[in-house]
Every structure is written in structure tokens, then in C-alpha cells.
Amino acid sequence: KADSFDLIINEILFNPDESSVDFIEIYNRSEKIINIRYFNVADRESFTSEFKNCFPIIEEYYLIFPGEYILLTTNANIIKEQYSITNPDNLIELENMPSFPDDEGIIIITDNQLSILDEFHYSENLHFELLNSCEGVSLERINSEWPTNDPNNWHSASENLDFATP
């Protein structure tokens, strides 16, 4: 059973360019092998704090080992075409995923009891301030041990790596 912060949001592309799609990268920072069957990705209304959308990640057994990453997206083929993917088997294509507003939003990973494993309030203000545009640039977590919503724990992905490292 996964506890809070066993699985964390590690990278998010919430403002893709016109040829790409949103994605969320999740990292297993625990020492557990976690089955994500019936886990969910959700978003939250900023003002009321209520869940807006909650979609299952996968409905079959899928194990995430300690130190392993998975990527959630609605179109795995686009991700494979645009980025260097070291493990394409760890891309999970979802039928539905919350839409990510381009300026800011809240993304959540829950278990099947809707217990929150991780929650990230992202904002375009977390990007490197000298970027000409944030479009197509993902935010990457710096340290898996630091709090998710610490603004110093996020940075823009490098241009040398096509502005994302899914």
C-alpha cells in the first residue's frame, strides 16, 4: 500500500506547444514495490479546494519499483516522437486526464480511497524568469526529499534537453 509521498509528482508539462501534449512524471521515492491499479490523477478547484476531475491511471496491475519513474499522458506516441525516452514501457497513455491550465493549477495523485499521495500547485511563475516563453517547457522537481510545493524545489527543464525530460 502506498503512503503519502511514496509516489510523487516529479515533472509536469502543463503548457505544451501546439505539436505536443501535457504530461506528468511520477517517481517512486519509497522502498516499496507499488501497484498503481486504480490510482487516480485529479485536479482541484483553486478557490473551493474541491476535486474537479478524477481519472483512473490504469485498471490493470502495474508495478512501480523503488526509484522508478512513470509518465502519464494522453498520447504516448507524441511523447516518444518529441523526446529521448529511456524506457518507453513506462509511458502510460490515459484515456482521460485533467486539463492543465497554462498559467496555474493543482494536480493530485490519489489512491483508490481518494487519499492524496502527492499534490502540486504549479504556476508559470515557477519557471526560470529569463525564458522568453514558457510554452513547451516542463517544470522539473529538484529534490525528491523536499516538499512538493516548495517553490525552490522546481526549475524549468533545460533547452539542451528539448525543455523536458520525460
Side-chain angles (χ1 to χ4, degrees):
K1 181 173 172 18
D3 293 317
S4 182
F5 302 112
D6 282 349
L7 297 178
I8 59 170
I9 299 164
N10 196 66
E11 182 175 0
I12 181 171
L13 179 60
F14 58 88
N15 185 3
D17 63 27
E18 65 279 348
S19 66
S20 195
V21 292
D22 292 338
F23 69 73
I24 309 165
E25 182 182 79
I26 297 174
Y27 174 65
N28 181 354
R29 65 184 285 278
S30 76
E31 296 298 318
K32 303 172 187 172
I33 299 171
I34 298 172
N35 180 8
I36 61 165
R37 183 180 186 194
Y38 303 124
F39 280 40
N40 304 293
V41 60
D43 59 353
R44 187 186 293 275
E45 176 62 49
S46 296
F47 299 107
T48 66
S49 294
E50 303 213 6
F51 282 17
K52 290 193 309 190
N53 301 291
C54 189
F55 299 107
I57 292 174
I58 195 164
E59 293 185 7
E60 55 198 45
Y61 288 99
Y62 191 101
L63 301 177
I64 302 177
F65 289 83
E68 191 170 58
Y69 298 85
I70 60 168
L71 189 87
L72 311 177
T73 186
T74 56
N75 193 324
N77 287 331
I78 287 177
I79 299 297
K80 289 176 192 176
E81 290 170 6
Q82 293 184 338
Y83 303 105
S84 175
I85 305 296
T86 55
N87 192 347
D89 293 335
N90 288 6
L91 271 71
I92 298 176
E93 192 169 278
L94 285 74
E95 276 187 46
N96 296 299
M97 197 160 81
S99 65
F100 303 150
D102 291 347
D103 53 348
E104 70 177 312
I106 301 170
I107 191 71
I108 305 164
I109 304 300
T110 75
D111 64 14
N112 61 347
Q113 306 290 312
L114 297 182
S115 298
I116 295 173
L117 299 175
D118 199 15
E119 178 173 353
F120 180 39
H121 185 164
Y122 67 85
S123 166
E124 66 182 2
N125 295 332
L126 294 173
H127 278 294
F128 182 58
E129 59 191 36
L130 297 179
L131 283 173
N132 291 331
S133 170
C134 299
E135 186 174 290
V137 181
S138 73
L139 281 175
E140 297 180 319
R141 188 182 199 114
I142 294 171
N143 189 320
S144 64
E145 298 300 316
W146 295 354
T148 300
N149 288 295
D150 177 350
N152 296 314
N153 197 21
W154 295 89
H155 67 92
S156 302
S158 170
E159 180 180 13
N160 294 340
L161 298 169
D162 298 321
F163 289 113
T165 60

